[in-house]
Amino acid sequence: MSESVEGKKPVSRSERIRAWLFLLVVGGPIVYGVATVLVSTPFNRAFNHPVQCTIVGAAKGESRSKSYSGNSYVYVEASDCPGMRYVGERHGLTRAEVAERIDVLAGQRVAVDVGYWQAPFSDTLIVGVEGLDLGR
């Protein structure tokens, strides 16, 4: 199938298989991780489905590491939907202001828009809450 070039050893079938397996095992998770960081929020804003949840409250949360890099988010607590993070449009509001506006819905059963792209073992990413007023 392949002719050997002078001075080069031909690549065997098992070496090719090992190379492809290496790409899948190492490259696959790297590509998935980078795509999740860069694409998941816009994808979820475009493709989502409604789920009925009873809102208990919301709060701005932060995660920080020793290197002082961190992430800020709006955590939404619901009695019948476990761990949700709001990643939808904020229309110029801070995360704390969005959390206050979600708190107004406490005790109500509302539809939340859940994105289809979810990372395993993490909070559910929501992009919308029925009745949430984000106007200034």
Side-chain angles (χ1 to χ4, degrees):
M1 182 164 152
S2 65
E3 297 180 23
S4 73
V5 178
E6 200 172 310
K8 289 196 176 190
K9 179 182 160 191
V11 178
S12 70
R13 181 176 180 183
S14 65
E15 288 172 330
R16 286 184 186 162
I17 291 172
R18 275 186 264 165
W20 278 105
L21 282 174
F22 177 79
L23 283 174
L24 287 174
V25 170
V26 174
I30 291 172
V31 169
Y32 177 76
V34 170
T36 297
V37 169
L38 297 177
V39 180
S40 67
T41 299
F43 181 87
N44 285 339
R45 286 181 183 159
F47 303 103
N48 53 67
H49 63 282
V51 174
Q52 295 290 323
C53 297
T54 305
I55 302 293
V56 173
K60 176 186 173 242
E62 290 187 49
S63 62
R64 297 243 178 243
S65 66
K66 281 188 166 187
S67 67
Y68 300 104
S69 65
N71 191 13
S72 175
Y73 53 86
V74 176
Y75 182 79
V76 180
E77 185 180 357
S79 59
D80 46 1
C81 300
M84 298 184 297
R85 286 189 188 192
Y86 179 79
V87 294
E89 293 289 337
R90 292 183 293 143
H91 300 286
L93 298 174
T94 66
R95 287 178 177 82
E97 290 171 328
V98 172
E100 288 172 8
R101 300 208 180 174
I102 294 173
D103 273 340
V104 172
L105 302 172
Q108 297 181 34
R109 186 164 178 82
V110 298
V112 295
D113 296 325
V114 177
Y116 284 110
W117 190 320
Q118 302 290 330
F121 310 112
S122 67
D123 292 334
T124 303
L125 302 178
I126 60 173
V127 294
V129 179
E130 177 187 30
L132 177 61
D133 178 22
L134 295 176
R136 286 235 173 228

